[in-house]
Amino acid sequence: MKICAFSDSHGWHNRLAEQNLLPKADTIVFAGDFMTDGYQHSEVVAFGAWFSNLPYKHKILIGGNHDRMLESDKNWCLTNFSKDVIYLQDSGVEIDGVKFWGSPYQPAFFNWAFNKNRGDSISQHWKKIPEELDVLITHGPPYGILDSVKGVGKLGCEELAKVVQKVSPRVHIFGHIHSGYGTLSAYDTEFHNISYCDEKYKPKNAPHLIEV
């Protein structure tokens, strides 16, 4: 299976098609943060229509910390996406023998969506991640993996890192830390930070084409 993956579009999603940055694939994965401040209904409507009409056989979506309305009014948000869009929130799906699991949560960061305190609070979500997993999709990175911000340090989740090492998914897809964009192999897992925007919230990076 070929997967096109990106995240953190923050309202710039139209640029991807305009610049022909979306590669051909079987499945497209969006790993959260299509909104800006997270309160504008128009952003949900616009992204929902755009994502739903992309020419991919399978479409998978998770939320991110900017996607406040997915947290506060999930049912309404999802009415703006076509029925073939698969929304994952501490849940999974198997497509053509490939097992996916998705979760929007990340360590608490100001007053954004899907925030959980480090430690036991966020661990309750990571404990749900199953073994024998092919593709893990989270909004934020595990600690020490493509999670560094210059002058700040590593911002990934320690508890997520422990579970990822234990479960060893074939691929782990995430965004959130824009400056961490890139790929890395460790713990028998191929990690992809697929943040589209840079630290200034401007479109910069290409989606990743991942083969599983």
Side-chain angles (χ1 to χ4, degrees), residues 30-41 43-45 47-48 51 60-81 85-89 103-105 112-115 139:
F30 182 77
D33 274 8
F34 63 84
M35 302 188 77
T36 51
D37 62 12
Y39 294 112
Q40 306 302 317
H41 286 72
E43 288 188 326
V44 180
V45 174
F47 184 81
F51 191 74
I60 298 176
L61 168 76
I62 72 166
N65 61 297
H66 281 252
D67 303 325
R68 298 181 195 269
M69 296 189 70
L70 263 176
E71 183 179 52
S72 63
D73 198 353
K74 180 180 72 174
N75 291 336
W76 177 81
C77 283
L78 295 181
T79 63
N80 293 279
F81 292 83
V85 172
I86 301 167
Y87 176 68
L88 299 180
Q89 185 171 326
S103 180
Y105 297 96
W112 292 100
F114 300 110
N115 272 346
H139 181 56

Side-chain angles (χ1 to χ4, degrees), residues 13-202:
H13 52 271
N14 285 318
R15 288 286 188 92
L16 289 160
E18 290 171 0
Q19 297 178 2
N20 198 29
L21 294 176
L22 292 171
K24 293 182 179 180
D26 307 293
T27 302
I28 190 163
V29 169
F30 182 77
D33 274 8
F34 63 84
M35 302 188 77
T36 51
D37 62 12
Y39 294 112
Q40 306 302 317
H41 286 72
S42 59
E43 288 188 326
V44 180
V45 174
F47 184 81
W50 179 83
F51 191 74
S52 297
N53 286 294
L54 291 176
Y56 294 88
K57 185 177 180 181
H58 309 289
K59 306 178 186 77
I60 298 176
L61 168 76
I62 72 166
N65 61 297
H66 281 252
D67 303 325
R68 298 181 195 269
M69 296 189 70
L70 263 176
E71 183 179 52
S72 63
D73 198 353
K74 180 180 72 174
N75 291 336
W76 177 81
C77 283
L78 295 181
T79 63
N80 293 279
F81 292 83
S82 60
K83 292 183 179 179
D84 64 335
V85 172
I86 301 167
Y87 176 68
L88 299 180
Q89 185 171 326
D90 284 346
S91 56
V93 65
E94 183 172 337
I95 301 173
D96 295 337
V98 178
K99 297 178 181 178
F100 294 84
W101 184 270
S103 180
Y105 297 96
Q106 75 281 309
F109 178 71
F110 293 104
N111 186 31
W112 292 100
F114 300 110
N115 272 346
K116 294 293 177 179
N117 291 329
R118 294 178 185 269
D120 290 341
S121 179
I122 200 165
S123 288
Q124 300 308 309
H125 296 277
W126 308 144
K127 287 177 181 178
K128 298 176 183 179
I129 298 172
E131 296 184 5
E132 299 182 4
L133 183 64
D134 295 304
V135 181
L136 175 62
I137 310 162
T138 58
H139 181 56
Y143 184 82
I145 303 291
L146 305 172
D147 67 336
S148 294
V149 175
K150 186 176 181 180
V152 178
K154 299 175 181 179
L155 298 177
C157 180
E158 297 89 346
E159 292 77 15
L160 178 57
K162 294 174 186 176
V163 172
V164 170
Q165 289 182 52
K166 177 184 176 181
V167 174
S168 292
R170 294 170 66 184
V171 173
H172 185 184
I173 296 169
F174 52 85
H176 186 47
I177 305 301
H178 299 184
S179 59
Y181 175 83
T183 60
L184 179 70
S185 292
Y187 319 129
D188 297 320
T189 297
E190 185 180 293
F191 295 92
H192 291 261
N193 182 321
I194 38 77
S195 299
Y196 177 45
C197 285
D198 61 17
E199 286 296 318
K200 296 181 180 179
Y201 289 81
K202 298 299 182 182

